[in-house]
Amino acid sequence: MADTSLFGRLRRLFSSDVIIRNVGGDNLKVADINRIQSTGNFQTNSLVDRFTRLHIYNNKNLYNPNLNYQTLRVQLYSDYEAMDTDPVIASALDILADEATLKSDKGEVLSIKSTDENLQRVLYNLFYDVLNIEFNLWSWTRNMCKYGDFFLKLEIAEKFGVYNVLPYTVYNMSRHEGQDEKDPTKVEFVINPDGLAGSNDPYYMPKNENAVKLDNYEVAHFRLLSDTNYLPYGRSFIEPARKIFKQLTLMEDAMLIHRIMRAPEKRTFFVNVGSIPPAEVDQFMQKTINTMKKTPYVDPKTGQYNLKFNMQNMMEDFYIPVRGGDASTRIETTKGLDYDGTTDVQYLQSKLFAALKVPKAYFGFEGDLQGKATLAAEDIRFARTVERIQKIVESELTKIALVHLYTQGFTGESLTNFEISLTTPSIIFEQEKVALLKEKVDLA
């Protein structure tokens, strides 16, 4: 007998890849909740996957048997954590989140359109009053860009619908697809408080009493599906910069070490040892060095004698004994720093900006811009990048809205009778579209 409870009906509603509703006549409206149309399925996609193909079920990685799929995810996330400490990458993530969550001219972060005023009122109440979208969406977007994934557990009540959401760290949540032969489109999520690592099986189910299985409708999985190689997870926005970040860090360290060690001028002391026997030259030189390098110091509290370091001289000076002829004691200066490592750092920094796709001018690097027209062109290109991120956010917010509306009793064509949109990030981009439409109307 079919489960007629609310959660049983929700489970059936989200058991397929897409939700399809007839909106009149032969017209259909499809809600692609799993974004199956753009990426395919985890099991059926021919491009799966540079990670999973090596770690697929019952197949160990031949190149490194100790490196399993779940461990690899943790390694990537750890790298992203380190990258977030870099001022340029952290600023890029902040800028992406800022641009994706701009307010419209009406003061709305999220715009909801529907021909049904009651449905529109329910959704405005959900996103603004219940989910506090104006405050929370910024951090959700930033985390999604940082890790490529962001998991939001939906708290659902039969009477009120979605009444709360709980963000979960990517370290403790995993997505499972294609495990049920009878239902290949089934999607499940598993929360494991002990973390992800522990098996060579990508479908590893932790033997932990605290691990929790969640149905598809209970989790909104924000993921950047720009690369199918990372299915069933998203690819971090900063992944292209991961290699450059490591190279840049090494180059910056090398530059600093070189500056500290090689920057000061060194002095070479040629000390005339005269007629001192060869066996006593070392002792004489050491006595001379100690006299010049250190000053006698008596601690007034303890009365102990100490050779206190004299900071006026550098430890790297050279002392060379000379004798014979008319060689006298003299001091020469060796050349200081010649190598300039900042050129290499700037080269890698330019590649980092290219990987992040954020215009340099947004960080205050305006030296390369020749005028406002250049910044406008950069702004439009960047707006397209942000718009792509917004589409992904809108997709998952639509899923949350579908769950809430279904719980509130909306069925049939009314279930999909709405559109959710975020504000266009660039005024220049919007002005160009308006200008283009105006020219088309004038031409017509």
Side-chain angles (χ1 to χ4, degrees), residues 267-282:
R267 286 163 295 186
T268 306
F269 293 77
F270 294 90
V271 182
N272 190 350
V273 295
S275 58
I276 298 174
E280 298 178 11
V281 168
D282 288 345

PDB file of all heavy atoms in Angstrom, residues 267-282:
ATOM      1  N   ARG A 267      80.567  42.797   5.238  1.00  0.00           N
ATOM      2  CA  ARG A 267      81.913  43.355   5.327  1.00  0.00           C
ATOM      3  C   ARG A 267      82.941  42.237   5.414  1.00  0.00           C
ATOM      4  O   ARG A 267      82.690  41.216   6.051  1.00  0.00           O
ATOM      5  CB  ARG A 267      82.030  44.264   6.553  1.00  0.00           C
ATOM      6  CG  ARG A 267      81.327  45.598   6.368  1.00  0.00           C
ATOM      7  CD  ARG A 267      81.096  46.286   7.678  1.00  0.00           C
ATOM      8  NE  ARG A 267      80.179  45.515   8.505  1.00  0.00           N
ATOM      9  CZ  ARG A 267      79.701  45.930   9.679  1.00  0.00           C
ATOM     10  NH1 ARG A 267      80.084  47.102  10.154  1.00  0.00           N
ATOM     11  NH2 ARG A 267      78.878  45.186  10.382  1.00  0.00           N
ATOM     12  N   THR A 268      84.050  42.450   4.772  1.00  0.00           N
ATOM     13  CA  THR A 268      85.148  41.487   4.830  1.00  0.00           C
ATOM     14  C   THR A 268      86.318  42.143   5.574  1.00  0.00           C
ATOM     15  O   THR A 268      86.829  43.179   5.143  1.00  0.00           O
ATOM     16  CB  THR A 268      85.590  41.079   3.414  1.00  0.00           C
ATOM     17  OG1 THR A 268      84.461  40.607   2.686  1.00  0.00           O
ATOM     18  CG2 THR A 268      86.629  39.975   3.483  1.00  0.00           C
ATOM     19  N   PHE A 269      86.697  41.544   6.701  1.00  0.00           N
ATOM     20  CA  PHE A 269      87.800  42.060   7.518  1.00  0.00           C
ATOM     21  C   PHE A 269      89.078  41.291   7.171  1.00  0.00           C
ATOM     22  O   PHE A 269      89.136  40.065   7.372  1.00  0.00           O
ATOM     23  CB  PHE A 269      87.491  41.885   9.015  1.00  0.00           C
ATOM     24  CG  PHE A 269      86.337  42.727   9.503  1.00  0.00           C
ATOM     25  CD1 PHE A 269      85.026  42.377   9.243  1.00  0.00           C
ATOM     26  CD2 PHE A 269      86.583  43.885  10.230  1.00  0.00           C
ATOM     27  CE1 PHE A 269      83.974  43.144   9.690  1.00  0.00           C
ATOM     28  CE2 PHE A 269      85.530  44.661  10.681  1.00  0.00           C
ATOM     29  CZ  PHE A 269      84.221  44.297  10.413  1.00  0.00           C
ATOM     30  N   PHE A 270      90.058  41.982   6.636  1.00  0.00           N
ATOM     31  CA  PHE A 270      91.365  41.364   6.392  1.00  0.00           C
ATOM     32  C   PHE A 270      92.268  41.763   7.572  1.00  0.00           C
ATOM     33  O   PHE A 270      92.689  42.920   7.673  1.00  0.00           O
ATOM     34  CB  PHE A 270      91.954  41.866   5.076  1.00  0.00           C
ATOM     35  CG  PHE A 270      91.162  41.433   3.867  1.00  0.00           C
ATOM     36  CD1 PHE A 270      90.125  42.227   3.384  1.00  0.00           C
ATOM     37  CD2 PHE A 270      91.438  40.232   3.224  1.00  0.00           C
ATOM     38  CE1 PHE A 270      89.381  41.826   2.288  1.00  0.00           C
ATOM     39  CE2 PHE A 270      90.704  39.839   2.126  1.00  0.00           C
ATOM     40  CZ  PHE A 270      89.676  40.623   1.650  1.00  0.00           C
ATOM     41  N   VAL A 271      92.534  40.820   8.466  1.00  0.00           N
ATOM     42  CA  VAL A 271      93.265  41.106   9.699  1.00  0.00           C
ATOM     43  C   VAL A 271      94.712  40.658   9.550  1.00  0.00           C
ATOM     44  O   VAL A 271      94.975  39.468   9.300  1.00  0.00           O
ATOM     45  CB  VAL A 271      92.604  40.396  10.899  1.00  0.00           C
ATOM     46  CG1 VAL A 271      93.348  40.747  12.197  1.00  0.00           C
ATOM     47  CG2 VAL A 271      91.133  40.781  11.009  1.00  0.00           C
ATOM     48  N   ASN A 272      95.652  41.604   9.709  1.00  0.00           N
ATOM     49  CA  ASN A 272      97.083  41.284   9.610  1.00  0.00           C
ATOM     50  C   ASN A 272      97.516  40.560  10.888  1.00  0.00           C
ATOM     51  O   ASN A 272      97.442  41.098  11.985  1.00  0.00           O
ATOM     52  CB  ASN A 272      97.883  42.573   9.432  1.00  0.00           C
ATOM     53  CG  ASN A 272      99.338  42.290   9.091  1.00  0.00           C
ATOM     54  OD1 ASN A 272      99.798  41.146   9.168  1.00  0.00           O
ATOM     55  ND2 ASN A 272     100.057  43.328   8.720  1.00  0.00           N
ATOM     56  N   VAL A 273      97.905  39.276  10.717  1.00  0.00           N
ATOM     57  CA  VAL A 273      98.295  38.487  11.886  1.00  0.00           C
ATOM     58  C   VAL A 273      99.793  38.603  12.176  1.00  0.00           C
ATOM     59  O   VAL A 273     100.295  37.996  13.128  1.00  0.00           O
ATOM     60  CB  VAL A 273      97.889  37.007  11.700  1.00  0.00           C
ATOM     61  CG1 VAL A 273      96.380  36.878  11.649  1.00  0.00           C
ATOM     62  CG2 VAL A 273      98.521  36.426  10.433  1.00  0.00           C
ATOM     63  N   GLY A 274     100.511  39.373  11.347  1.00  0.00           N
ATOM     64  CA  GLY A 274     101.928  39.656  11.614  1.00  0.00           C
ATOM     65  C   GLY A 274     102.762  38.397  11.793  1.00  0.00           C
ATOM     66  O   GLY A 274     102.718  37.472  10.980  1.00  0.00           O
ATOM     67  N   SER A 275     103.501  38.375  12.908  1.00  0.00           N
ATOM     68  CA  SER A 275     104.421  37.262  13.161  1.00  0.00           C
ATOM     69  C   SER A 275     103.840  36.216  14.105  1.00  0.00           C
ATOM     70  O   SER A 275     104.574  35.437  14.701  1.00  0.00           O
ATOM     71  CB  SER A 275     105.730  37.812  13.755  1.00  0.00           C
ATOM     72  OG  SER A 275     105.439  38.524  14.964  1.00  0.00           O
ATOM     73  N   ILE A 276     102.505  36.200  14.249  1.00  0.00           N
ATOM     74  CA  ILE A 276     101.875  35.210  15.132  1.00  0.00           C
ATOM     75  C   ILE A 276     102.077  33.820  14.543  1.00  0.00           C
ATOM     76  O   ILE A 276     101.872  33.610  13.332  1.00  0.00           O
ATOM     77  CB  ILE A 276     100.378  35.507  15.289  1.00  0.00           C
ATOM     78  CG1 ILE A 276     100.172  36.882  15.948  1.00  0.00           C
ATOM     79  CG2 ILE A 276      99.672  34.427  16.101  1.00  0.00           C
ATOM     80  CD1 ILE A 276      98.729  37.324  16.005  1.00  0.00           C
ATOM     81  N   PRO A 277     102.528  32.861  15.342  1.00  0.00           N
ATOM     82  CA  PRO A 277     102.718  31.485  14.843  1.00  0.00           C
ATOM     83  C   PRO A 277     101.424  30.936  14.226  1.00  0.00           C
ATOM     84  O   PRO A 277     100.329  31.215  14.716  1.00  0.00           O
ATOM     85  CB  PRO A 277     103.097  30.701  16.112  1.00  0.00           C
ATOM     86  CG  PRO A 277     103.615  31.728  17.050  1.00  0.00           C
ATOM     87  CD  PRO A 277     102.864  32.986  16.772  1.00  0.00           C
ATOM     88  N   PRO A 278     101.547  30.126  13.152  1.00  0.00           N
ATOM     89  CA  PRO A 278     100.354  29.590  12.469  1.00  0.00           C
ATOM     90  C   PRO A 278      99.406  28.849  13.403  1.00  0.00           C
ATOM     91  O   PRO A 278      98.189  28.915  13.232  1.00  0.00           O
ATOM     92  CB  PRO A 278     100.944  28.644  11.418  1.00  0.00           C
ATOM     93  CG  PRO A 278     102.308  29.190  11.156  1.00  0.00           C
ATOM     94  CD  PRO A 278     102.792  29.751  12.461  1.00  0.00           C
ATOM     95  N   ALA A 279      99.936  28.143  14.401  1.00  0.00           N
ATOM     96  CA  ALA A 279      99.085  27.365  15.303  1.00  0.00           C
ATOM     97  C   ALA A 279      98.199  28.259  16.160  1.00  0.00           C
ATOM     98  O   ALA A 279      97.159  27.832  16.682  1.00  0.00           O
ATOM     99  CB  ALA A 279      99.940  26.463  16.187  1.00  0.00           C
ATOM    100  N   GLU A 280      98.574  29.521  16.320  1.00  0.00           N
ATOM    101  CA  GLU A 280      97.827  30.420  17.195  1.00  0.00           C
ATOM    102  C   GLU A 280      96.949  31.407  16.428  1.00  0.00           C
ATOM    103  O   GLU A 280      96.269  32.245  17.032  1.00  0.00           O
ATOM    104  CB  GLU A 280      98.812  31.199  18.088  1.00  0.00           C
ATOM    105  CG  GLU A 280      99.628  30.314  19.006  1.00  0.00           C
ATOM    106  CD  GLU A 280     100.625  31.114  19.836  1.00  0.00           C
ATOM    107  OE1 GLU A 280     100.519  32.371  19.826  1.00  0.00           O
ATOM    108  OE2 GLU A 280     101.487  30.497  20.480  1.00  0.00           O
ATOM    109  N   VAL A 281      96.972  31.300  15.080  1.00  0.00           N
ATOM    110  CA  VAL A 281      96.196  32.242  14.271  1.00  0.00           C
ATOM    111  C   VAL A 281      94.695  32.096  14.546  1.00  0.00           C
ATOM    112  O   VAL A 281      93.970  33.081  14.725  1.00  0.00           O
ATOM    113  CB  VAL A 281      96.495  32.042  12.766  1.00  0.00           C
ATOM    114  CG1 VAL A 281      95.482  32.805  11.911  1.00  0.00           C
ATOM    115  CG2 VAL A 281      97.897  32.520  12.446  1.00  0.00           C
ATOM    116  N   ASP A 282      94.201  30.829  14.598  1.00  0.00           N
ATOM    117  CA  ASP A 282      92.773  30.604  14.827  1.00  0.00           C
ATOM    118  C   ASP A 282      92.329  31.203  16.153  1.00  0.00           C
ATOM    119  O   ASP A 282      91.263  31.831  16.253  1.00  0.00           O
ATOM    120  CB  ASP A 282      92.464  29.102  14.802  1.00  0.00           C
ATOM    121  CG  ASP A 282      92.547  28.539  13.397  1.00  0.00           C
ATOM    122  OD1 ASP A 282      92.547  29.347  12.446  1.00  0.00           O
ATOM    123  OD2 ASP A 282      92.611  27.302  13.248  1.00  0.00           O
TER     124      ASP A 282
END
